[in-house]
Amino acid sequence: MTRKEINIFGTSFLDLLSGALAAVIILFIIVPKMTAEQQNALEEIEQLNVQVEELSNIMEQIQNSVSQEVYEQIQHQIEALQETIDHLSEQVENLQGQLAAAQSENERLRAEVEELQENSQRTQELEQENEQLRQRIAQLERQIQQSAQNGQGISDGKVFGMNAELGVVCIWSENVDVDLYVKNLSTGKVCYFNHKNTPFGNLNEDIRSRSSSDDDRYELFYQSQIVPGQYQIYVNIYGDSTWNGQPAHVDGYAVIFPGKSNQVKIPFRQITLTQKGQNVNVGILCVTNNNITLQ
């Protein structure tokens, strides 16, 4: 009696193989999306491996029930399926590596963002500090201006902003052309508006008029370096036709080493000028290398 050949490639079995392959392909498409999905894909692959092993066992059981040709065809298909699974497993590993690299890059970017935020905060703090410094500078400038208005225009090594070791300051508030004269008694030379620069000192500015009550300019005789000697100081109202008869009340002081620990400051008595060309004597300033006196 002829042995009847058993055909195991029925529709159900082929559907099983096709379904398994389709499941693998679907997993291949879904895997790159999320880490959880990649984990599910790995579990599916493991299940497929189990199914392949089960198919191998079935093949061993039916090996004697089918022809060698049919068996080899099934075996080739199973091997192809296994290769596909191996390839997909490799793809999953590559995707996991890419995911790890992406996570590392994300951590680096997050660290940079945090650093930028810290720098931004530090920038804001520096801006606040700069604003406080600007306010402090403005306050000091107001104090200096107030000191100047009060006849105290001395800072470290300067008289009203002039680098000097000695200064003679003449201050008045009226709109009158008052002139300061400093005469070197040893040479007879005079420093004044028409001869501002001399070997023994300089005059900074000739104040001829005042435009408003806020005009707080002054006349200053100064020595950048001490020139010892005796100097007669006097003031007057300039004798031209522009004077309207208004008197001028003149104050001032002499100072040596302004703003330093060895500073000596001598205020003048107030002088009232009522006539042109009065040449009112303030006094004789005696200057040594380290001191001044007013006689």
Side-chain angles (χ1 to χ4, degrees), residues 27 29-44 92:
L27 288 174
I29 295 173
I30 295 175
V31 161
K33 292 183 178 178
M34 297 178 61
T35 304
E37 292 181 357
Q38 290 179 353
Q39 183 65 31
N40 292 334
L42 291 175
E43 293 176 357
E44 291 292 338
V92 170

Side-chain angles (χ1 to χ4, degrees), residues 35 96-110:
T35 304
Q96 288 177 333
Q98 294 176 9
L99 177 61
Q103 290 175 341
S104 177
E105 180 67 11
N106 183 47
E107 290 296 329
R108 185 186 67 81
L109 292 175
R110 184 178 300 171

Side-chain angles (χ1 to χ4, degrees), residues 172-178 207-213 215 217 237 242-249:
W172 69 101
S173 60
E174 294 83 6
N175 184 20
V176 178
D177 185 0
V178 174
I207 308 301
R208 298 182 180 181
S209 62
R210 299 190 185 280
S211 58
S212 67
S213 58
D215 187 348
R217 291 176 297 162
I237 293 177
T242 60
W243 183 53
N244 59 7
Q246 181 183 10
H249 301 86

Side-chain angles (χ1 to χ4, degrees), residues 101-293:
Q103 290 175 341
S104 177
E105 180 67 11
N106 183 47
E107 290 296 329
R108 185 186 67 81
L109 292 175
R110 184 178 300 171
E112 289 183 359
V113 169
E114 291 177 354
E115 183 178 359
L116 288 174
Q117 290 175 343
E118 291 177 357
N119 291 338
S120 175
Q121 182 178 359
R122 180 55 181 161
T123 300
Q124 293 177 354
E125 292 175 354
L126 289 175
E127 289 178 352
Q128 293 175 355
E129 292 177 2
N130 289 337
E131 180 62 25
Q132 292 175 355
L133 287 175
R134 284 192 292 267
Q135 293 176 359
R136 178 57 179 163
I137 290 172
Q139 181 181 4
L140 290 175
E141 288 176 347
R142 289 192 297 269
Q143 291 177 353
I144 291 172
Q145 184 178 6
Q146 183 65 34
S147 296
Q149 293 175 351
N150 295 334
Q152 301 173 355
I154 297 176
S155 60
D156 188 11
K158 296 183 179 181
V159 181
F160 285 105
M162 303 294 296
N163 288 311
E165 291 188 347
L166 180 141
V168 177
V169 180
C170 179
I171 304 170
W172 69 101
S173 60
E174 294 83 6
N175 184 20
V176 178
D177 185 0
V178 174
D179 292 319
L180 170 66
Y181 293 78
V182 178
K183 181 178 181 180
N184 189 332
L185 294 181
S186 64
T187 63
K189 300 294 182 179
V190 180
C191 181
Y192 67 110
F193 65 89
N194 210 25
H195 192 199
K196 293 182 178 180
N197 300 313
T198 68
F200 61 89
N202 306 280
L203 186 71
N204 72 324
E205 186 178 3
D206 177 23
I207 308 301
R208 298 182 180 181
S209 62
R210 299 190 185 280
S211 58
S212 67
S213 58
D214 295 333
D215 187 348
D216 56 357
R217 291 176 297 162
Y218 51 86
E219 289 197 6
L220 167 67
F221 168 83
Y222 66 95
Q223 293 180 348
S224 299
Q225 295 181 344
I226 297 297
V227 180
Q230 291 186 329
Y231 302 95
Q232 183 180 5
I233 303 170
Y234 55 94
V235 294
N236 71 12
I237 293 177
Y238 183 63
D240 68 354
S241 59
T242 60
W243 183 53
N244 59 7
Q246 181 183 10
H249 301 86
V250 181
D251 292 308
Y253 58 86
V255 61
I256 189 172
F257 307 126
K260 299 180 180 179
S261 60
N262 56 344
Q263 168 187 300
V264 177
K265 181 180 176 182
I266 303 175
F268 302 160
R269 62 181 177 88
Q270 187 179 80
I271 298 173
T272 301
L273 300 176
T274 59
Q275 300 179 13
K276 295 187 293 185
Q278 279 182 276
N279 289 336
V280 176
N281 183 44
V282 174
I284 296 176
L285 184 67
C286 300
V287 180
T288 66
N289 287 323
N290 54 20
N291 197 14
I292 56 173
T293 57

